[in-house]
Amino acid sequence: LGDDQFASEIYTDIREQAIGAAERWLDAQLSIELRPLPMGRGVPKANTPKRPSGQLLSVTVRWEYTTTPIHEQRHFVCLSDRAEYTELAHQRGPTSAWLFPTLKGIAASDPRAFELQRFTVNGEPRPIRRSSRKDSQTYTVNIGTDTIRASEPVTVAYTYRPLMATDGNLLYFDIEQPTRDLRVDFDYQTCDFTKVSVLDLIPATRPSRIETPIPGTPETIRLDIDGWIFPRSGVAFVWSSARHPERHAR
């Protein structure tokens, strides 16, 4: 902009608008672990997807962060309608969305497609309720009226497990709420990936720190981002393998 002070003021104004009315996540940690499923597991053998590898990936995702909750409930929706997914993803409310392109034998409403496995507040598990429709499913968790009324910082942690096709080649994670300081760990040790790239789609005043594996070390990637991160940004991992060369989205 040619004026450092003016640019700083604009940045501060945008930041305050972005974080002013939303739940703020502090010291966030995101861990992703990919594991291949043998052919026939997770899908009835008679309905195994006709893909070159005949294989699916189980993706275990865990979030942990400190926040002062403002929503009494959290919702996790798995759906196949891209327009509905886009609408949910652009909101800064209590709903997290996961897009599940229908695979032969598994629909987005199938519990095998997506499962919220655990949700805790300050280490205490919260009950999880599941409901489903034809093309989607929803998991609902009550944070607790007392927790909301206390209006004090708590540690929230949850784990969910979606499936994806091995030849999907791309896994994207959206930043849902204004987040300060984020660490991302990506573990693909049991996969036959030949190359993994990180797409850092997060604008920040300080550059991200990315640690990639060197030969002979575990196949994991760590990404550290300091400072505030605005919603609608995110991190993507793109990979290729001997069977499935890397493909770029158009």
Side-chain angles (χ1 to χ4, degrees), residues 3 6 12 79 107 132 134 195 232:
D3 187 323
F6 180 54
T12 301
L79 68 170
S132 64
K134 180 181 178 181
K195 178 183 177 183
R232 301 186 186 179

Side-chain angles (χ1 to χ4, degrees), residues 65-79:
Y65 52 85
T66 299
T67 189
T68 301
I70 62 175
H71 303 293
E72 190 168 338
Q73 290 187 333
R74 282 294 310 274
H75 307 283
F76 298 82
V77 181
C78 175
L79 68 170

Side-chain angles (χ1 to χ4, degrees), residues 118-214:
R118 184 176 174 86
F119 191 105
T120 65
V121 177
N122 284 339
E124 298 181 0
R126 292 291 193 263
I128 298 171
R129 292 184 290 109
R130 177 183 176 273
S131 61
S132 64
R133 298 184 300 171
K134 180 181 178 181
D135 298 315
S136 68
Q137 58 178 312
T138 301
Y139 293 84
T140 302
V141 179
N142 285 318
I143 301 297
T145 303
D146 292 342
T147 301
I148 300 299
R149 288 177 177 173
S151 191
E152 295 179 350
V154 296
T155 299
V156 173
Y158 55 83
T159 301
Y160 59 86
R161 191 253 345 118
L163 292 182
M164 68 174 296
T166 305
D167 58 355
N169 293 90
L170 171 67
L171 194 56
Y172 174 77
F173 292 91
D174 190 34
I175 304 302
E176 302 176 25
Q177 305 290 341
T179 301
R180 190 183 69 194
D181 299 338
L182 172 66
R183 189 186 80 190
V184 182
D185 291 297
F186 184 73
D187 182 340
Y188 58 101
Q189 296 183 64
T190 61
C191 301
D192 63 347
F193 299 162
T194 56
K195 178 183 177 183
V196 178
S197 302
V198 183
L199 302 180
D200 179 359
L201 306 176
I202 298 176
T205 56
R206 283 172 284 185
S208 304
R209 302 185 303 278
I210 302 176
E211 297 180 16
T212 56
I214 59 176

